[in-house]
Structures are given as structure tokens and as C-alpha cells.
Amino acid sequence: MADEALFLLLHNEMVAGLYRAAEQGEGENGRCTTKLESMGFRVGQGLIERFTKDTARFKDELDIMKFICKDFWTTVFKKQIDNLRTNHQGIYVLQDNKFRLLTQMSAGKQYLEHAPKYLAFTCGLIRGGLSNLGIKSIVTAEVSSMPACKYFSGYSIISSFDNFSYQLHCALLLKSTDSEPP
């Protein structure tokens, strides 16, 4: 319980600190989101490396997505993804109806415009984890009502496996791409 509170406080302070520095002229708001996403990317890489060191190889993209939705999400956010959907063409949507990093904020629409900056770190977390599993992706997030969120991502395979594809909806959605995300 204490580690969860520390994570929430650290995350909130990272977001607040970066945006406070941007407001004081030390950076741009767009760069804040990029910095948060980059931090999440590195953390996601490290976590996936640690979580998968004793697991068998994933046989396909669905196994990877199930791992992300169950094991990875449970370890990081203390609950599984509420809903995983796919179009069977490489697109997955992960939906989390009570996303931990947004539950501290009001459930009303008044803070809806501030929600995306609290999701940038998690977008990087997912992208970093997928990167270490051999999938280059772009992950974005969407919030239509708090504290539910959706993640959208584009991907291309960078490993020796030729049958991986996926998407999340926290929702996380993946679309094919050949370009490297920021």
C-alpha cells in the first residue's frame, strides 16, 4: 500500500514539476509531454525485462497483449485491464475504467483537459515494454470521461518474430507504422 502511494505521489510531482518549469520559461509544454513519455519508456523497458526474465517466449501478439493486460498492468497498477478488444488485424484496445493515475482527480469534466498530461508517462511505459518485447510502437491516450482512459498505439515488428501485432485500449490502440515515435 505504501509503495502505491509513493508511486502516485512521485508521478503527480513529476507531472507538476515539468509543467511548472515550462510555465516559468524553462521549457515548452509540448516538451513536457515528450519528457514524461521518455521517462515512461525507459521504466517500461526495465520493468518488462525484469518481469519476463523467467517466462517462456510469447508465441504470438495475443500472448503479448494478455501479458500486458494481466501481469504487467497488475504489477504496476494493482489491477488488470478492464477490457481488451481487437480487430484481428493488429489493432488492440485496452480499457481501464478506473485508471489509478486519474482516480485522484475529479470524476467531473472540469479536469478533463488536464488528464492527457497525466497519461504521457503511461504511454511511454507501454511503448517501452512493447519495445523490449520486439515491437516498435507509438502509443497515445484518450480520456472521454474520468477516470476511464484509452491508449492508442501504432506498431511495427522489430524482432526476429514475424507474427506479432497488437493494440491496447486503457484503452490502447495500435496501428502499423514504420516511423520511430518521438
Side-chain angles (χ1 to χ4, degrees):
M1 186 69 162
D3 60 338
E4 182 181 348
L6 290 174
F7 173 68
L8 292 172
L9 290 170
L10 175 64
H11 180 266
N12 286 339
E13 191 54 36
M14 283 188 326
V15 172
L18 283 170
Y19 279 87
R20 193 175 319 117
E23 288 174 1
Q24 295 173 356
E26 298 175 24
E28 302 170 22
N29 279 340
R31 298 191 106 195
C32 295
T33 302
T34 302
K35 275 188 174 183
L36 286 166
E37 199 269 345
S38 296
M39 287 183 211
F41 181 84
R42 180 60 195 110
V43 171
Q45 284 182 317
L47 288 175
I48 283 293
E49 195 171 303
R50 178 180 287 176
F51 297 162
T52 59
K53 69 179 180 180
D54 295 327
T55 61
R57 243 188 178 155
F58 299 108
K59 62 181 180 183
D60 61 13
E61 73 279 354
L62 187 57
D63 278 351
I64 291 174
M65 293 315 297
K66 286 180 180 178
F67 178 81
I68 295 290
C69 292
K70 291 179 183 177
D71 301 322
F72 184 74
W73 212 259
T74 300
T75 303
V76 176
F77 298 110
K78 308 297 185 224
K79 69 182 284 289
Q80 290 183 7
I81 286 290
D82 294 315
N83 196 351
L84 170 64
R85 294 182 183 173
T86 182
N87 71 351
H88 299 290
Q89 296 177 2
I91 295 188
Y92 294 85
V93 178
L94 293 174
Q95 187 162 349
D96 190 335
N97 295 325
K98 292 185 181 173
F99 186 56
R100 292 239 190 262
L101 300 179
L102 294 179
T103 55
Q104 301 295 327
M105 300 173 82
S106 172
K109 297 221 181 246
Q110 67 190 40
Y111 296 112
L112 200 56
E113 68 186 54
H114 298 289
K117 60 186 171 188
Y118 290 92
L119 301 175
F121 181 82
T122 307
C123 288
L125 198 70
I126 295 166
R127 192 171 71 85
L130 292 172
S131 172
N132 255 17
L133 294 173
I135 300 171
K136 184 171 30 171
S137 63
I138 298 171
V139 180
T140 59
E142 174 186 291
V143 177
S144 54
S145 66
M146 305 247 291
C149 68
K150 297 178 181 182
Y151 290 96
F152 301 92
S153 173
Y155 76 91
S156 63
I157 308 310
I158 58 174
S159 70
S160 60
F161 306 115
D162 58 353
N163 62 345
F164 288 106
S165 61
Y166 67 88
Q167 282 189 323
L168 306 173
H169 187 45
C170 161
L172 166 71
L173 174 67
L174 304 176
K175 298 176 187 171
S176 249
T177 182
D178 292 327
S179 62
E180 176 67 24

